[in-house]
Amino acid sequence: MDGDSRIPILRMGRLLLVTIQVDMHDRMAVALQEDLTGQIVRTGATGVLIDISALDLVDSFIGRMLADIAAMARVLDAATVVVGMRPAVAITLVELGLSLEGVQTALNVERGMALLPSVATEPDADEGEDEDDGPVSEADAAPAR
Amino acid sequence: MSGDEVALSSDEDVVRARHVTRRLAVEAGLRLVDQTKLVTAVSELARNTVIHGGGGVLTAGLVHDGPRTGVRVTCQDEGPGIADLDRAFQDGYTTGNGLGLGFGGARRLVHDFDVRTAPGQGTTITVVRWG
């Protein structure tokens, strides 16, 4: 596996979609966390949908990554739904002691989409990354350190 | 026990450890849930070996006991060892940046769990999950 490969993030309106299709090593999981939070700020996304149906394992590290993403997204005013967890993974996760508190889950992509508030909301027509009143300027308006 | 060996020194090695364990679990005829539990336990232990043990070696192979077949996995390092085993098993206890679920959590996911460790003597953990 390429040590620097990253998980792609797709944008659809105000949603960010992530399908994890490889067995992630820990650095990849951390990179995804950073990429996603960056994208939320850059695009003003209000929802994040993470499809883990291809994962045959969620251990404590990946579980923490999912919980952290949900927490970070919440702080950035975006909701996160994790969809498609396999039954064997769910059973193992609970036995491991991980409850994924604070992470909203759904059985599949369709149900997950329905949980996200702004699926139907088209982004503002003139919204762009270089727009004056877009999320970029919001980030600029953050208190200077 | 004849077996597979995986050197554990990086994130990628932990993924390789998972794959080797999964293949053996399938070979042993473990059900999907049992495979998943074993592979998850090994992922936790292999990560511990990399992070806390300073790297080490994983050996894995099939074991037989009468009609039963299982998979035995050993993670061995020559790191600092574990001074307080009781605490290491407590959920929420961590000396690293994890959730502190790795050790106690892994023990719940397997049938046999054997730890040999002492301060300065490294750590050897052997787990078995039976079919």
Side-chain angles (χ1 to χ4, degrees):
Chain A
M1 185 183 301
D2 176 4
D4 294 311
S5 55
R6 291 174 113 84
I7 312 278
I9 300 170
L10 304 180
R11 181 183 173 188
M12 201 180 90
R14 289 191 179 274
L15 286 188
L16 296 177
L17 308 179
V18 179
T19 302
I20 303 174
Q21 283 175 326
V22 295
D23 193 350
M24 286 186 298
H25 57 67
D26 294 357
R27 279 199 322 284
M28 273 177 95
V30 172
L32 174 61
Q33 215 168 60
E34 291 167 1
D35 291 348
L36 253 180
T37 46
Q39 288 270 8
I40 291 170
V41 171
R42 209 167 309 122
T43 66
T46 53
V48 176
L49 187 130
I50 304 175
D51 177 11
I52 60 165
S53 58
L55 285 190
D56 60 13
L57 162 149
V58 172
D59 66 5
S60 67
F61 193 91
I62 297 172
R64 184 174 64 126
M65 184 270 295
L66 294 173
D68 285 355
I69 285 176
M72 292 167 186
R74 198 177 307 123
V75 172
L76 295 171
D77 198 23
T80 304
V81 181
V82 173
V83 306
M85 186 182 294
R86 298 182 183 186
V89 172
I91 291 168
T92 301
L93 204 60
V94 170
E95 206 155 311
L96 182 64
L98 220 60
S99 56
L100 290 191
E101 230 165 282
V103 180
Q104 192 159 29
T105 54
L107 216 49
N108 53 41
V109 173
E110 203 178 353
R111 288 201 196 175
M113 287 282 198
L115 289 174
L116 291 170
S118 56
V119 174
T121 314
E122 289 296 319
D124 304 338
D126 59 345
E127 184 178 347
E129 295 187 12
D130 51 357
E131 186 200 10
D132 283 348
D133 59 352
V136 173
S137 61
E138 278 168 38
D140 290 341
R145 267 170 289 206
Chain B
M1 177 177 83
S2 68
D4 287 76
E5 221 178 85
V6 178
L8 296 174
S9 61
S10 70
D11 288 0
E12 288 87 348
D13 293 336
V14 175
V15 174
R16 285 174 58 215
R18 300 203 282 249
H19 292 172
V20 165
T21 305
R22 174 76 67 173
R23 182 169 49 70
L24 286 167
V26 170
E27 203 178 312
L30 265 59
R31 295 180 317 129
L32 182 59
V33 173
D34 296 320
Q35 292 173 26
T36 306
K37 287 179 181 178
L38 176 67
V39 176
T40 304
V42 169
S43 185
E44 303 292 341
L45 297 176
R47 181 180 295 111
N48 277 351
T49 300
V50 171
I51 294 175
H52 302 294
V57 180
L58 172 144
T59 45
L62 301 185
V63 283
H64 303 278
D65 175 28
R68 295 197 300 174
T69 302
V71 180
R72 177 159 63 200
V73 181
T74 299
C75 289
Q76 183 167 20
D77 67 63
E78 290 173 4
I82 301 167
D84 189 342
L85 260 186
D86 287 339
R87 263 185 101 187
F89 277 118
Q90 282 170 17
D91 281 355
Y93 177 73
T94 177
T95 55
N97 60 356
L99 281 176
L101 286 172
F103 219 60
R107 185 164 65 168
R108 284 193 291 275
L109 295 175
V110 294
H111 292 120
D112 305 340
F113 191 103
D114 177 71
V115 192
R116 276 145 218 268
T117 185
Q121 305 288 306
T123 302
T124 301
I125 300 181
T126 301
V127 300
V128 180
R129 177 119 202 150
W130 296 100

